[in-house]
């Protein structure tokens, strides 16, 4: 089997439902999801052996990132033939995990420097790359209709990575360093993003 | 020697043949190639000691990524004075290596989750960042004439990283996890990108 | 405390002074600074134990990257109420450190392949991601007035990461590999960027 087909050498590529430029907002969006997914793979490769449940959870998320990429890669309207994969339940699952992780880690008041153990440091990378994918998805959504749950999923996922990075550092006994030149940015009363 | 010159502090920079904005498609293109090259450096740093041939091959590719950056960084037309460096032979070499690696790894049917050993996980990162560089190169090529072999080289290189990541996992006894919610996407008959 | 607020689910977000699209040049700029900061976290996590001074210096830089993000995230004019944080002194500090590191590492003549020890390899990644943040900041500055010291700081910071990566390899006895197909690009006489 040849995995290279040379048909994309001139800058166009086939997606489900048609042909688009590799420079299009659509390809940029699912390409960035693929990039973020690769960093999740790196984070998993650096997880402490004993964190079996986190490993499973991250692997589940890798599958779900393929679901996101799948929905983003379809030509507008193609979902009538190939239904969307990302659902409200997937977002709710992330929210439940965030709540649990936030409860486990020490109370948060200020921004913290991204880093700590290797696994946590990579989760911060995954967090920021997923946010880039979210920005690109917003750009795509300004042009054409997409599955709205993908955007919500990506938004929640960066908070999930943040919460999980804190838990991993906490379990490892690594204290997160606070960014000092800011006021308390996290608080019970705030709720505008 | 001073490596900082302060001449780029206002957002413009000198390339071979003139001066351009750092926000231009050209600088974005060769800057992204430089970023991808750095991830190849990270992958090499995580290769098992004994993989000497792969290490040499990746180092060769690092040189070739400089060749790509060199060609992309020239002002249109400057190749008459400074000939392009990326050639058909470089693309053919990648194709031969891909064929060999595809033959060594287990038959592929579905998408696989990016990850595995550390070296493989980083090769997936390099794969997705090179694809970002390819997209940016396509964007540049929509504006001005570039060396067409650079675009083909980058396209093939992401398939090379994919094939190599699979071989490294295979040699390490790490089974790639298949993405389950998709049909067989890899097949002998398919050949549209 | 809930860290997710769902208010950003439709693609808009609140910054200090107003509300903007997540697809805006501003959010892309400080989001990329956050991404670069995460790679600094990764580099720190791979530093040899004994490099205490470098660790402290990189942590100082992480705080300063938050200062950059803070300045970039303000709505134009909001600095009258919330003064800018990035100053000339911060740039001068980087220049002093660059001079010291350049003096310590072997004389440089040609480009070198990004890589070496793990810490050095990640510093090259941080270098190229900061350059992406710089490009995005230039794009933002083409649209609205920003704190000019942020742009200079980011420009200098990539040279700092380059110089530091070379020192780390040098101390570890890892010889940087020169890119062979180019002339002497570094020289005492050159000073145009
Ligand atoms: C900009 C911003 C960011 C930037 C950080 C800015 C930077 N410096 O680089 C980035 C993109 C990195 C970021 C990331 C995150 N953020 Co944010 N961020 C904001 C935002 C928009 C502004 C924060 C801010 O700077 N505020 C205040 C400004 C004016 O203050 P300042 O310049 O720092 O300081 C002034 C004063 O505070 C005072 N001051 C300064 N220092 C000190 C020190 C002391 C002791 C005192 C008393 C006063 C003081 O003087 C300054 C005047 O110049 C707020 C939302 C909002 N509109 O407020 C969300 C917000 C704080 N972020 C939030 C979240 C969730 C996050 C993330 C977890 C998101 C994610 N999943 O990645 C991460 C966490 C990152 C981390 N490492 O901790 C939430 C928190 C929710 C909650 N429950 O409270 C908020 C409220 C947004 C929201 N509603 O969702 N964020
Ligand atoms: C989108 C896409 C991607 C996306 C992945 C999508 C995502 N989910 O994120 C990304 C960008 C990640 C990607 C990456 C790659 N891809 Co790709 N990709 C495609 C593309 C355009 C569509 C694939 C697809 O989703 N197809 C089918 C859709 C409709 O199916 P679906 O939504 O998954 O599922 C439907 C049905 O399949 C069915 N179904 C679902 N699940 C199941 C399960 C079972 C058991 C059954 C029976 C049915 C079934 O129900 C669904 C209906 O809703 C194809 C080309 C094409 N036009 O088909 C190339 C293609 C498959 N990719 C290809 C390649 C080479 C790659 C890469 C190796 C490229 C690289 N160098 O990085 C990587 C490999 C990534 C990996 N980790 O394995 C090649 C394969 C070549 C070959 N020899 O076969 C193709 C054919 C393109 C080409 N011609 O070059 N790719
Ligand atoms: C393009 C470029 C880059 C590209 C690299 C290009 C690529 N191949 O990918 C990228 C973005 C990667 C880059 C990175 C950096 N760069 Co730079 N870069 C340049 C730039 C604009 C052109 C360099 C170049 O290619 N020149 C010459 C071209 C025509 O030569 P060429 O194609 O390689 O080769 C021709 C001839 O040299 C000859 N030739 C080829 N091979 C050989 C071999 C021999 C033996 C001989 C005799 C002749 C010869 O034949 C070729 C004709 O086709 C110069 C500025 C400028 N305008 O010159 C800065 C410049 C060299 N860079 C500079 C710096 C500081 C850096 C960075 C440290 C920045 C950073 N912080 O990241 C890094 C270092 C990267 C590294 N790993 O070493 C500085 C050096 C300052 C100094 N004191 O000298 C310069 C001068 C810019 C500046 N003023 O600030 N750079
Ligand atoms: C925490 C802060 O981060 C900003 N924000 C929200 N979404 C993104 C994203 N995808 N990328 C970068 N920054 C974002 C908003 O300004 C928010 O308030
Ligand atoms: C495997 C699939 O990946 C998509 N594709 C092709 N080139 C790129 C790129 N540079 N970046 C992201 N996605 C790409 C196409 O849709 C192809 O079919
Ligand atoms: C070393 C060379 O890198 C290019 N250069 C300068 N600033 C950036 C940036 N932010 N990103 C990518 N490339 C840049 C210029 O062409 C310079 O001469
Ligand atoms: Mg968010
Ligand atoms: Mg391709
Ligand atoms: Mg510079």
């Amino acid at each position: 089997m040849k995995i290279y087909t040379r048909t994309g050498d001139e800058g166009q590529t086939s997606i489900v439902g048609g042909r688009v430029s590799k420079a299009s907002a659509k390809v940029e969006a699912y390409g960035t999801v693929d990039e973020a997914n690769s960093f999740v793979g790196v984070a998993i490769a650096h997880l402490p052996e004993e964190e079996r449940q986190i490993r499973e959870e991250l692997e589940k998320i890798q599958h779900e990132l393929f679901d996101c990429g799948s929905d983003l890669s379809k030509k507008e309207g193609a979902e009538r033939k190939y239904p969307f994969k990302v659902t409200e339940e997937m977002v709710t699952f992330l929210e439940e995990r965030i709540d649990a992780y936030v409860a486990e880690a020490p109370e948060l008041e200020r921004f913290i420097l991204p880093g700590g153990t290797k696994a946590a440091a990579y989760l911060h990378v995954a967090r920021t790359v997923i946010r880039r994918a979210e920005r690109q998805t917003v750009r795509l959504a300004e042009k054409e209709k997409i599955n709205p749950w993908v955007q919500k999923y990506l938004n929640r996922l960066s908070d999930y990575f943040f919460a999980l990075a804190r838990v991993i550092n906490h379990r490892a006994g690594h204290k997160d360093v606070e960014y000092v030149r800011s006021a308390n940015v996290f608080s019970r009363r705030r709720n505008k993003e």
Side-chain angles (χ1 to χ4, degrees), chain A:
Chain A
M1 191 195 61
K2 292 248 185 274
I3 60 164
Y4 55 90
T5 56
R6 301 197 184 97
T7 50
D9 278 355
E10 318 310 324
Q12 297 269 109
T13 193
S14 289
I15 56 170
V16 176
R19 213 161 159 78
V20 291
S21 166
K22 290 186 182 179
S24 65
K26 184 184 276 303
V27 180
E28 194 67 44
Y30 65 80
T32 310
V33 169
D34 191 15
E35 187 181 341
N37 206 350
S38 301
F39 280 111
V40 178
V42 169
I44 291 174
H46 287 83
L47 270 183
E49 198 60 57
E50 64 274 16
E51 294 289 11
R52 255 174 276 278
Q53 186 244 331
I54 293 178
R55 172 170 283 109
E56 263 174 46
E57 218 170 88
L58 287 175
E59 204 173 290
K60 172 186 161 78
I61 283 166
Q62 285 200 297
H63 278 101
E64 294 180 348
L65 282 173
F66 266 98
D67 294 340
C68 291
S70 197
D71 285 356
L72 290 172
S73 74
K74 277 163 197 144
K75 191 121 197 177
E76 213 181 339
E79 72 274 13
R80 282 189 290 269
K81 211 167 150 193
Y82 302 101
F84 284 137
K85 297 178 173 174
V86 179
T87 61
E88 179 164 15
E89 288 66 48
M90 288 160 60
V91 178
T92 307
F93 173 79
L94 290 181
E95 294 180 350
E96 287 164 6
R97 300 310 305 148
I98 295 169
D99 292 343
Y101 290 137
V102 165
E104 180 180 344
E107 182 80 37
L108 190 67
E109 301 200 321
R110 291 167 199 278
F111 289 125
I112 52 155
L113 303 187
T117 67
K118 284 174 194 174
Y122 287 116
L123 284 169
H124 278 287
V125 170
R127 172 181 68 78
T128 55
V129 179
I130 268 299
R131 297 187 113 210
R132 173 150 54 83
E134 184 199 8
R135 297 193 295 275
Q136 190 52 42
T137 300
V138 169
R139 237 160 257 147
L140 174 61
E142 286 174 356
K143 293 192 185 183
E144 55 180 75
K145 251 190 106 171
I146 64 161
N147 177 357
W149 292 108
V150 172
Q151 201 171 302
K152 295 187 219 291
Y153 183 86
L154 298 177
N155 190 11
R156 218 64 85 249
L157 189 55
S158 70
D159 292 335
Y160 168 91
F161 288 143
F162 179 76
L164 181 55
R166 297 195 69 244
V167 160
I168 286 179
N169 278 339
H170 181 61
R171 290 188 189 170
H174 185 110
K175 239 178 109 51
D176 279 322
V177 180
E178 289 188 336
Y179 167 56
V180 289
R181 287 190 284 284
S182 212
N184 273 11
V185 290
F186 292 92
S187 80
R188 271 169 229 280
R189 285 152 306 133
R190 269 180 192 276
N191 67 349
K192 290 194 302 177
E193 188 179 9

